[in-house]
């Protein structure tokens, strides 16, 4: 960016609020989408921003937006960079708008149980502040240490206790954003209303394409008086899904409901804490078989011949671990747990007691930090989260597992469930003998996976968002609604300054 | 409308699918907004449509939309005409699109508990169809006999069991609509997704201004195994609200939570069923006092001097009746009821047992038919439903009761509650000595009521919608978002054919 831009920006921001230092620009050239890492391994760089700014007030953002419109410069809102779809990548250069200095909790209302918070606050810090006052947001994405409230809203985040507390879009009662023309949009805070379309739900999920979210008013909850845990082992994914469906359709609201398929069950049990997760009796011979097979085909060998490994795994008798947790008043969690365990038993689930659930609770954020080591062995890993109604969920699981399994070692868990269906979270890892084909393999795996999701009728993302990674599927996802989105984008942001090149717009 | 239009329409519709018979045009000139009745009493007519059509297929609607664009003719989607805000009034003439012949239940999925239903089906008929198969939608507006699924969605309807099942916007998993350019928009049916803005929530609440809703996929529920009832009497509205807030914030989901203030409690108990609602012991001297006062100032006298009556009522010791119902498995409703009654007692509520709740349940739709007799005594009556967070709810109640009470006899119930707040449903009745001033009095009552709601920070409608009646408050309700709505409307419906003159657009 030319120096005169820099000088103009210095009229808006103090010197410590902006930088064009090249190391910063490299850091801000990417989010956690694995393509960024693959590119780095190949010595390629990603498009860099021209400058990074850290606004501290709404007024500064408004001035920045006016500046950006004048000079047709892209603005890329940035939370904590933990997105995995390239949503915060500055694909056409421009200005990274790092929101982390707008991190105040403006207001906690103990009477209505709502909190107004600025979008740049790190999730865990917000949660701790609430906990100290006796509340919880109830939103626990595994990225909670490295993601912001604004990022959650922009990409429709889900937390691990979504069955009880909902996704972030279910918690938002009011939103504030600087729009592409520099005006502030602030919706009325109300439990519900019947005054036209829900404009909150236009900004939520828009990943910075329609405006910069500056704050939100969120529902909070009393910190639960009691918390109960269960681990239930099922022989088949189908049995487990039947039991979960039955549970959710009774109208009970467990906090966490997470079903790991056999290889995912093995993986979460294979670390240093495996003894806690599964006692030696519970870790029966099937699991041992599975462990031996995977160990034998260790590291690159496993990952380069995924179809062999996946086939072998399928031949093994399986075990699938379901984690259930319950939160609330003691009377209610007792009743819920009792009903839940009866339903699980009726579907062939074996109650392992509270230890697996407690272990999961203590290690619930680890997954966000477990994928990096894969890269040190020159392989790559990623996650794909899709969702559909119960009638298609098992079919989706099988078809996508096959589609991904052609290219990669694949495991899955069912992480968010509802009365009408649920989401599947696939983790895959792969590599190639030919380093140069890594990107192609990565892209092909995604293509086969999402084409399959579309063919089954599932949504292509449950809680990670779209960014660049899934942009090409947006027309298939939305059909006519995508045209409305493009029309709206054009009229609201005629200079296309707001996070251009994303979402298939 | 000219004959040539008529001839063109006959190419789209069979002869029995359209009419321009004047009696039909008069009937379709208004919904249930009281202004229509006041106008009729004064011998004035409302603007009439040019023609009424009853489409039977999406293709017919698509052709109609093409026709309307060509000739710049307004299309006014029409369900069952039970709206109370003039939303279906053909203010600039045009074509009434009565959707009631598109009333098929396309699909019930017992596995995912979802049903796809066309928008023209009458609510009660849909519910009965579901009941016969062992399900319930859980949506019980008092208009259920005279409103359609499409109308519910278009105006963000709430049912009496909303605390458990949500409002209609919480139940909708997919929507289908013919857009103003004739294309069909159909969203993917999924429990949740993270693929951009929620386009469903643009159409929901848009009252026909952005398209004609043709079908929706809704969450359904197993018909409850058990249902429990309570009537609880409180001395003050404040005590009752404190108890309700405590109940909702424990995370329990009762089905119905309805608190009647003292005069509303008297009114629902004054009909032929009063003995059932309140036994003679329960109907204590305070209620008797209240009854005497109101009876003494009967009919027009009561209504013409509302400030006197309202003042007298305020001096009387009050009693406020709370109805609670619980639905679900026996184990859960037992636990919920037990917890609820303990909370009620702790706040001074006196449990009257299940009779008041059962009586309410059996007469729960009566209110939609109780206002008409007021008109036979040349007075008028209407309802105003607003909502806000708990911190402002009692203030809103007091201020609005005073604002409305200057002009009318006013009573209220708190009909929909959430963890973060609730709605208030005011019923008012008034008249004037000078018949010609009736409309002015009606409008002034509304103005003072909604100006007050705005000043407190409440939403101006919780579940009746906007139509024409509340259009002038839309800018105050939404601020900048209203500008976005107008921009969107202009680009999506450039010829302004979709229900023009509504929603403040």
């Amino acid at each position: 960016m030319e120096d005169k831009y820099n000088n103009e920006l210095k009229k808006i921001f103090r010197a410590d609020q902006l930088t064009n230092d090249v190391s910063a620009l490299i850091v801000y050239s990417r989010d956690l989408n694995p393509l960024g890492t693959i590119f780095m391994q190949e010595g390629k760089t990603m498009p860099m921003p021209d400058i990074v700014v850290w606004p501290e007030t709404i007024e500064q953002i408004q001035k920045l937006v006016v500046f950006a419109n004048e000079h047709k410069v892209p603005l890329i809102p940035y939370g904590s960079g933990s997105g995995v779809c390239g949503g915060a990548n500055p694909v056409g250069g421009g200005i990274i708008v790092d929101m982390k200095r707008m991190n105040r909790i403006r207001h906690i209302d103990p009477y209505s149980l709502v909190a107004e918070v600025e979008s740049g606050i790190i999730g865990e810090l917000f949660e701790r502040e609430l906990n100290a006052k006796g509340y919880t947001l109830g939103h626990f994405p595994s990225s909670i240490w490295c993601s912001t409230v604004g990022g959650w809203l922009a990409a429709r985040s889900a937390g691990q206790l979504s069955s009880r507390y909902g996704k972030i879009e279910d918690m938002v009662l009011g939103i504030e954003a600087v729009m592409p023309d520099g005006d502030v949009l602030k919706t009325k805070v109300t439990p519900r209303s019947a005054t036209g379309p829900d404009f909150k739900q236009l900004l939520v999920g828009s990943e910075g394409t329609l405006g910069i979210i500056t704050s939100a008013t969120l529902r909070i909850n009393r910190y639960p008086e009691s918390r109960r845990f269960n681990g239930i082992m099922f022989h088949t994914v189908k049995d487990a899904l039947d039991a979960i469906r039955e549970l959710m359709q009774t109208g009970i609201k467990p906090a966490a409901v997470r079903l790991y398929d056999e290889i995912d069950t093995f993986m979460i049990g294979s670390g240093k804490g495996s003894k806690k997760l599964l006692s030696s009796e519970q870790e029966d011979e099937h699991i041992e078989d599975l462990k031996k097979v995977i160990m034998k085909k260790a590291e690159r060998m496993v990952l380069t011949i995924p179809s062999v490994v996946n086939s072998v795994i399928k031949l093994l008798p399986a075990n699938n671990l379901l984690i259930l947790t319950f939160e609330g008043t003691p009377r209610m969690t007792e009743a819920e747990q009792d009903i839940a365990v009866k339903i699980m038993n009726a579907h062939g689930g074996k109650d392992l007691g509270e230890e697996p659930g407690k272990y999961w609770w203590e290690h619930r954020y680890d997954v966000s930090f477990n994928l990096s080591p894969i890269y040190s062995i020159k392989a790559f890993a990623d996650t794909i989260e899709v969702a559909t109604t119960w009638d298609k969920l098992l079919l989706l699981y099988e078809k996508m597992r096959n589609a991904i399994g052609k290219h990669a070692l694949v495991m899955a868990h069912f992480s968010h469930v509802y009365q009408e269906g649920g989401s599947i979270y696939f983790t895959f890892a792969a590599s190639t003998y030919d380093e140069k084909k890594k990107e192609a393999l990565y892209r092909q795996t995604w293509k086969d996976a999402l084409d399959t999701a579309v063919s089954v009728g599932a949504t292509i993302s449950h809680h990670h968002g779209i960014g660049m990674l899934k942009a090409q599927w947006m027309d298939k996802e939305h059909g006519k609604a995508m045209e409305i989105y493009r029309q709206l984008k054009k009229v609201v942001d005629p200079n296309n300054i707001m996070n251009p090149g994303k979402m298939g717009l």
Side-chain angles (χ1 to χ4, degrees), chain A:
Chain A
M1 187 175 286
E2 297 167 42
D3 272 353
K4 66 164 184 164
Y5 292 166
N6 219 325
N7 289 335
E8 279 193 53
L9 287 173
K10 281 181 180 161
K11 289 179 196 156
I12 304 173
F13 298 104
R14 293 190 316 270
D16 68 313
Q17 287 189 279
L18 77 181
T19 186
N20 58 2
D21 180 273
V22 71
S23 60
L25 301 185
I26 291 173
V27 166
Y28 281 93
S29 70
R30 48 171 295 223
D31 63 9
L32 289 187
N33 176 247
L35 268 183
T37 313
I38 293 174
F39 273 44
M40 276 173 61
Q41 287 178 330
E42 293 176 2
K44 290 193 251 177
T45 56
M46 305 282 280
M48 288 193 292
D50 300 300
I51 202 159
V52 178
V53 300
W54 289 271
E56 293 174 7
T57 64
I58 288 174
E59 293 69 30
Q60 285 185 328
I61 297 175
Q62 290 183 285
K63 286 179 189 167
L64 178 65
V65 167
V66 171
F67 167 87
N69 273 309
E70 264 173 31
H71 299 286
K72 314 274 187 291
V73 185
L75 299 179
I76 302 99
Y78 190 98
S80 195
S82 67
V84 289
C85 306
N89 291 3
V91 289
I95 303 170
I96 291 276
V97 187
D98 186 327
M99 296 296 292
K100 278 195 291 297
R101 291 197 197 165
M102 289 189 62
N103 61 356
R104 285 183 310 134
I105 298 173
R106 289 188 188 160
H107 176 67
I108 295 178
D109 174 359
Y111 204 70
S112 308
L113 292 187
V114 302
E116 185 179 11
V117 62
E118 289 179 347
S119 59
I121 195 167
I122 294 284
E124 177 70 13
L125 300 180
F126 180 37
E127 177 64 19
R128 288 187 177 208
E129 208 48 55
L130 290 173
N131 293 169
K133 293 182 159 62
Y135 308 112
T136 177
L137 180 61
H139 192 71
F140 305 96
S142 67
S143 66
I144 193 165
W145 277 104
C146 53
S147 57
T148 62
V149 168
W152 295 348
L153 289 162
R156 295 186 174 269
S157 167
Q160 294 167 341
L161 307 189
S162 63
S163 290
R164 182 172 176 83
Y165 299 105
K167 285 183 71 192
I168 197 75
E169 62 260 41
D170 303 311
M171 303 176 187
V172 59
L173 299 168
I175 205 160
E176 178 192 83
V178 177
M179 299 302 285
D181 61 1
D183 284 351
V184 173
L185 183 154
K186 186 159 188 167
T187 66
K188 192 168 274 185
V189 176
T190 174
R192 292 288 190 288
S193 69
T195 60
D198 187 344
F199 301 107
K200 284 192 307 291
Q201 296 297 339
L202 263 187
L203 282 159
V204 173
S206 65
E207 302 189 19
T209 62
L210 298 178
I212 300 179
I213 297 168
T214 49
S215 83
T217 301
L218 302 168
R219 180 184 304 116
I220 60 175
N221 310 277
R222 295 196 185 148
Y223 197 84
E225 288 170 50
S226 86
R227 192 173 278 143
R228 291 165 191 268
F229 305 93
N230 285 93
I232 316 271
M233 198 60 94
F234 286 90
H235 276 292
T236 70
V237 166
K238 185 183 181 311
D239 286 348
L241 289 181
D242 283 345
I244 295 169
R245 184 172 64 83
E246 177 71 23
L247 176 66
M248 297 307 290
Q249 294 184 349
T250 60
I252 287 171
K253 297 274 182 201
V257 182
R258 292 173 88 83
L259 172 68
Y260 296 87
D261 75 357
E262 67 267 53
I263 175 161
D264 220 354
T265 297
F266 163 73
M267 285 296 187
I268 61 166
S270 67
K272 56 185 188 298
S274 66
K275 282 290 179 296
K276 282 183 207 158
L277 178 60
L278 300 170
S279 74
S280 48
E281 306 94 78
Q282 289 156 353
E283 197 169 320
D284 64 12
E285 58 186 65
H286 305 317
I287 298 276
E288 284 303 325
D289 285 349
L290 192 62
K291 189 185 273 182
K292 276 175 209 150
V293 170
I294 293 178
M295 287 307 174
K296 226 162 64 188
K297 310 242 172 201
E299 294 192 345
R300 293 193 71 178
M301 189 59 193
V302 168
L303 300 166
T304 48
I305 319 177
S307 60
V308 174
V309 179
N310 283 319
S311 300
V312 172
I313 288 168
K314 275 187 201 163
L315 293 175
L316 293 170
N319 272 297
N320 303 276
L321 179 66
L322 172 65
I323 300 293
L324 292 178
T325 79
F326 304 88
E327 293 197 348
T329 60
R331 171 79 190 263
M332 288 301 286
T333 54
E334 189 193 348
E336 288 177 337
Q337 187 179 43
D338 188 48
I339 293 167
V341 170
K342 283 199 180 83
I343 292 172
M344 298 302 122
N345 289 340
H347 286 83
K350 188 183 162 196
D351 187 4
L352 307 180
E354 66 175 10
E355 281 310 315
K358 278 196 167 167
Y359 177 83
W360 171 80
W361 179 253
E362 283 154 18
H363 298 79
R364 65 194 185 279
Y365 303 139
D366 291 1
V367 64
S368 264
F369 308 96
N370 276 347
L371 295 183
S372 322
I374 303 281
Y375 290 90
S376 66
I377 54 166
K378 295 200 172 174
F380 62 82
D382 204 356
T383 58
I384 304 181
E385 24 67 65
V386 292
T388 193
T389 41
W390 287 112
D391 58 323
K392 294 181 287 205
L393 198 61
L394 191 61
L395 180 71
L396 181 68
Y397 168 70
E398 285 167 354
K399 283 200 158 192
M400 281 191 70
R401 195 171 140 146
N402 286 339
I404 302 168
K406 282 187 292 177
H407 308 293
L409 180 68
V410 58
M411 51 194 155
H413 60 271
F414 296 78
S415 49
H416 304 272
V417 290
Y418 306 90
Q419 181 161 314
E420 62 272 13
S423 72
I424 317 177
Y425 192 94
F426 294 97
T427 302
F428 68 88
S431 190
T432 57
Y433 292 111
D434 182 351
E435 283 293 314
K436 285 175 185 158
K437 290 184 178 159
K438 215 184 270 183
E439 181 186 345
L441 178 63
Y442 177 82
R443 290 193 189 276
Q444 191 62 45
T445 308
W446 268 99
K447 182 171 181 343
D448 289 355
L450 292 195
D451 282 352
T452 303
V454 167
S455 76
V456 174
T459 186
I460 58 169
S461 177
H462 175 266
H463 60 274
H464 282 177
I466 298 298
M468 298 167 61
L469 183 63
K470 306 169 196 170
Q472 70 188 87
W473 283 272
M474 281 290 273
D475 280 291
K476 282 181 181 156
E477 174 77 10
H478 291 296
K480 177 71 179 177
M482 194 60 205
E483 195 183 310
I484 309 290
Y485 191 9
R486 289 195 185 102
Q487 287 177 309
L488 181 68
K489 169 73 173 174
K490 201 169 281 179
V491 72
V492 168
D493 182 17
N495 295 321
N496 197 21
I497 58 164
M498 285 293 179
N499 206 8
K502 309 292 168 61
M503 308 285 289
L505 284 168

